[in-house]
Amino acid sequence: MDIYFLLFEDFETLDVFGPVEILSRIEKVKLHYISLSGGMIKSKQGFYTQTESITGIAPNSIVVVPGGQGTRSLVSNELFIKTLRNLCDRAENVLSICTGSALLAKSGVLDKRNATSNKKAFDWVRSISQNVNWIKKARWVVDEKYYTSSGVSAGMDMSLGFISDLFGIEKAKQIAFDIEYFWNSNKECDVFE
Amino acid sequence: MDIYFLLFEDFETLDVFGPVEILSRIEKVKLHYISLSGGMIKSKQGFYTQTESITGIAPNSIVVVPGGQGTRSLVSNELFIKTLRNLCDRAENVLSICTGSALLAKSGVLDKRNATSNKKAFDWVRSISQNVNWIKKARWVVDEKYYTSSGVSAGMDMSLGFISDLFGIEKAKQIAFDIEYFWNSNKECDVFE
């Protein structure tokens, strides 16, 4: 299984690296760190991560889209949004964390779908597309191949939920145990609204 | 406040970037990503992060030491251990996550102190130094300026505990809320033993 983490300037750190920690524990998985033009990408928290440029994805791949301050300008970047649309169309599953769902919404892939996002930025995310059925009270939302989570740390719970859906809840519980993580396994339980 | 994250080959991703997400939210904080020789450092999860070489630290600094597979060989790297010892002696506080405490123990700074570590690697960590009072059942342990956490995700809870100790529990709760994180705020509550 190939998993592509889509990075951009001012992405939110834990949106990416929480899911990286968890999804890396799937057997025979290969992780890719990609960005629109490749090279070094700076997170909101000031460190640089090396990325490859997007040249396509392997069949049956997973694409992970983080949120963060960088999404505010990226929604207006036509090349980025078009590229994201192409990635989503080809992916087996797409997972977004926090305001990453605003990028997905802008690309149109969430039209007529249920989705959620970060609570603090919810009004802004909703303003990006009125074609999405935005669900505010949710740890994460699943609509066919699209998984969208609420803010930052919710991406870890969603990643375990995704693993549970694919490989069974025992596998998800084992990974949570191995990283000594208290998994909030109920995607409808959300106390942060 | 300056915080230095000490990276090395095969560090565990969430050990670093969970605390980064949380500690970055301290007001007027400056984060530094350092390694023994500087340059690009590869995590256990396969991505590269840019680091500066260790040239000293600012007064009143915090040093954060992650764990991971890389610690197994690093405990035998005399230059690394000596450098770590110097960093610790100068730091206002030292925080370790997971098997990062094995590196601290090897340097001698935990002698006669209480400390904890990752559960799955506990026997190995204990074998590194018999001069430490190792506490297996703990989410994290505080002994004067030294904070040591158990495995991987425990570093996030400890980071919030550290913020609580320095700036009050309301500040820690606010940060947890902002990143939609369920903080396990009791350092003695540990279900992973």
Side-chain angles (χ1 to χ4, degrees):
Chain A
M1 183 189 284
D2 291 82
I3 306 183
Y4 296 82
F5 294 87
L6 180 55
L7 272 55
F8 46 80
E9 293 293 309
D10 280 340
F11 72 88
E12 189 68 28
T13 295
L14 194 61
D15 289 13
V16 172
F17 294 109
V20 161
E21 179 69 49
I22 288 163
L23 297 170
S24 72
R25 291 165 183 263
I26 296 172
E27 280 169 31
K28 296 182 185 171
V29 75
K30 186 170 181 199
L31 306 188
H32 307 262
Y33 304 91
I34 60 173
S35 65
L36 192 57
S37 307
M40 302 297 282
I41 298 290
K42 190 178 183 183
S43 82
K44 181 72 166 66
Q45 283 68 38
F47 60 89
Y48 289 86
T49 300
Q50 201 169 59
T51 65
E52 300 162 40
S53 64
I54 301 167
T55 52
I57 57 175
N60 309 316
S61 289
I62 316 299
V63 171
V64 181
V65 185
Q69 197 63 39
T71 61
R72 301 290 175 132
S73 53
L74 264 186
V75 290
S76 305
N77 181 329
E78 287 184 20
L79 177 60
F80 179 89
I81 295 298
K82 189 179 168 188
T83 305
L84 177 61
R85 172 84 202 211
N86 284 334
L87 287 178
C88 290
D89 287 345
R90 288 169 193 175
E92 181 87 5
N93 285 101
V94 178
L95 280 59
S96 75
I97 298 95
C98 195
T99 48
S101 55
L103 301 172
L104 295 181
K106 184 73 178 186
S107 80
V109 298
L110 295 181
D111 284 2
K112 298 182 185 172
R113 292 190 184 279
N114 297 325
T116 194
S117 194
N118 180 295
K119 299 299 177 298
K120 293 184 83 175
F122 215 86
D123 289 343
W124 174 72
V125 174
R126 191 162 14 210
S127 77
I128 300 301
S129 172
Q130 267 97 61
N131 300 327
V132 181
N133 179 27
W134 292 109
I135 298 171
K136 194 166 184 183
K137 189 173 174 59
R139 190 71 178 153
W140 75 92
V141 166
V142 184
D143 190 324
E144 293 185 337
K145 75 179 193 180
Y146 291 93
Y147 283 63
T148 55
S149 87
S150 48
V152 195
S153 80
M156 292 189 288
D157 291 332
M158 179 184 69
S159 295
L160 288 164
F162 175 70
I163 287 170
S164 178
D165 292 347
L166 255 63
F167 305 104
I169 193 165
E170 290 308 319
K171 179 70 182 165
K173 282 182 176 175
Q174 184 62 51
I175 291 173
F177 187 81
D178 288 346
I179 63 168
E180 300 189 25
Y181 180 67
F182 293 88
W183 177 30
N184 309 291
S185 60
N186 181 351
K187 64 180 185 290
E188 284 155 23
C189 177
D190 180 16
V191 299
F192 297 101
E193 196 202 335
Chain B
M1 184 189 283
D2 290 83
I3 306 183
Y4 294 81
F5 294 87
L6 180 56
L7 272 56
F8 45 80
E9 292 295 308
D10 281 340
F11 72 88
E12 190 68 28
T13 295
L14 194 60
D15 288 14
V16 171
F17 293 110
V20 162
E21 179 68 49
I22 288 163
L23 297 171
S24 73
R25 291 166 185 264
I26 295 172
E27 280 168 33
K28 296 184 185 170
V29 75
K30 187 171 181 198
L31 306 188
H32 306 262
Y33 304 92
I34 60 173
S35 66
L36 192 56
S37 307
M40 301 296 283
I41 299 289
K42 191 179 184 183
S43 83
K44 181 73 168 65
Q45 283 67 39
F47 60 90
Y48 290 85
T49 301
Q50 201 169 59
T51 65
E52 299 162 42
S53 65
I54 301 167
T55 52
I57 57 174
N60 309 317
S61 289
I62 316 299
V63 171
V64 181
V65 184
Q69 197 63 39
T71 60
R72 300 291 173 133
S73 53
L74 263 187
V75 289
S76 306
N77 181 330
E78 286 184 21
L79 177 59
F80 180 89
I81 295 298
K82 189 179 169 189
T83 305
L84 176 61
R85 171 86 203 209
N86 283 335
L87 286 178
C88 290
D89 286 346
R90 289 171 192 173
E92 181 87 5
N93 286 101
V94 178
L95 281 58
S96 76
I97 298 95
C98 194
T99 49
S101 54
L103 302 172
L104 295 181
K106 184 74 178 185
S107 80
V109 298
L110 295 182
D111 284 3
K112 299 182 183 172
R113 293 190 183 277
N114 297 324
T116 193
S117 192
N118 181 294
K119 299 300 178 299
K120 294 183 83 175
F122 215 86
D123 289 344
W124 174 73
V125 173
R126 193 160 15 208
S127 77
I128 299 301
S129 172
Q130 267 98 61
N131 299 327
V132 180
N133 179 27
W134 292 110
I135 298 172
K136 195 166 183 184
K137 188 172 174 64
R139 190 72 177 152
W140 75 92
V141 167
V142 184
D143 190 325
E144 294 186 335
K145 76 179 194 180
Y146 291 93
Y147 284 63
T148 55
S149 87
S150 49
V152 195
S153 79
M156 292 189 288
D157 291 332
M158 179 184 69
S159 296
L160 287 164
F162 175 70
I163 287 171
S164 177
D165 291 347
L166 255 64
F167 304 105
I169 195 165
E170 290 309 317
K171 178 68 181 168
K173 283 183 174 173
Q174 184 61 51
I175 291 173
F177 187 82
D178 288 346
I179 64 168
E180 300 189 26
Y181 180 67
F182 293 88
W183 176 29
N184 309 291
S185 59
N186 182 351
K187 64 181 184 290
E188 284 156 23
C189 178
D190 181 15
V191 300
F192 297 101
E193 199 202 335

